[in-house]
Amino acid sequence: MNYTAHASAVWEPVFAEADDCLLSSDQCVVQAQHYFVKGLIEIPVIGSDEVFSWGVWVSLSRDNFSRAADLWDRPGREAEDPYFGWLTTDLPVYPPTTLNLKTHLHTRPVGERPCVELEPTDHPLAVEQRTGITLDRVREIAAAVFHAGSKER
């Protein structure tokens, strides 16, 4: 019920050795100029109490990234206003691309990954976030992700 991207679409393996780059499980910095936080796009599963989620990367401004980093381990951080960002994960099961969809990153209590709210557009991912998906759609996504993963090997 969850699929996650290892890194932002702009991350390159060569960045791993650079002093001005960072990739952790929650945060990413590229050349001290581009800042990303990992969050979850949660999609309700119709007829179920379960939620399907995509682990994605959202770009933030330098100021918002700094603020989020300062509050990362601070209790009460979930009271923070959401941060505007751009989706920087390409989810290939959605045409057109999911890159650069407008988002709001909602901080949650310490230990919980932030929630990514997509701008309410007619993009299929945004529609699914608003309206939910069936269990058959979850299976379809799983098959597509598995197939894409097996092609990369």
Side-chain angles (χ1 to χ4, degrees):
M1 296 298 280
N2 180 301
Y3 294 95
T4 191
H6 171 69
S8 167
V10 300
W11 182 262
E12 298 288 337
V14 68
F15 294 152
E17 302 301 318
D19 291 338
D20 60 352
C21 298
L22 161 85
L23 177 62
S24 73
S25 60
D26 299 303
Q27 299 173 349
C28 177
V29 177
V30 174
Q31 299 175 323
Q33 295 179 7
H34 307 284
Y35 305 90
F36 309 91
V37 172
K38 194 169 197 178
L40 297 175
I41 295 175
E42 296 179 331
I43 302 172
V45 178
I46 298 167
S48 167
D49 291 335
E50 294 195 64
V51 173
F52 176 85
S53 63
W54 289 106
V56 298
W57 292 87
V58 172
S59 69
L60 299 179
S61 69
R62 175 186 217 131
D63 289 344
N64 283 344
F65 181 84
S66 293
R67 175 84 178 149
D70 288 346
L71 298 175
W72 202 257
D73 294 318
R74 189 174 301 167
R77 70 182 191 167
E78 63 275 13
E80 218 22 41
D81 286 339
Y83 304 113
F84 175 80
W86 299 93
L87 187 60
T88 59
T89 301
D90 185 22
L91 301 173
V93 300
Y94 294 98
T97 184
T98 56
L99 289 174
N100 297 317
L101 292 176
K102 292 179 182 179
T103 69
H104 284 94
L105 186 79
H106 296 265
T107 307
R108 295 186 188 177
V110 174
E112 292 183 36
R113 198 170 296 286
C115 176
V116 177
E117 175 190 11
L118 296 168
E119 181 179 78
T121 65
D122 61 354
H123 189 283
L125 178 58
V127 171
E128 287 184 349
Q129 187 178 41
R130 287 192 312 273
T131 63
I133 58 176
T134 64
L135 212 42
D136 284 343
R137 174 67 174 144
V138 172
R139 288 185 198 99
E140 181 182 304
I141 290 169
V145 169
F146 176 76
H147 182 71
S150 66
K151 287 169 72 173
E152 292 174 5
R153 290 189 190 128

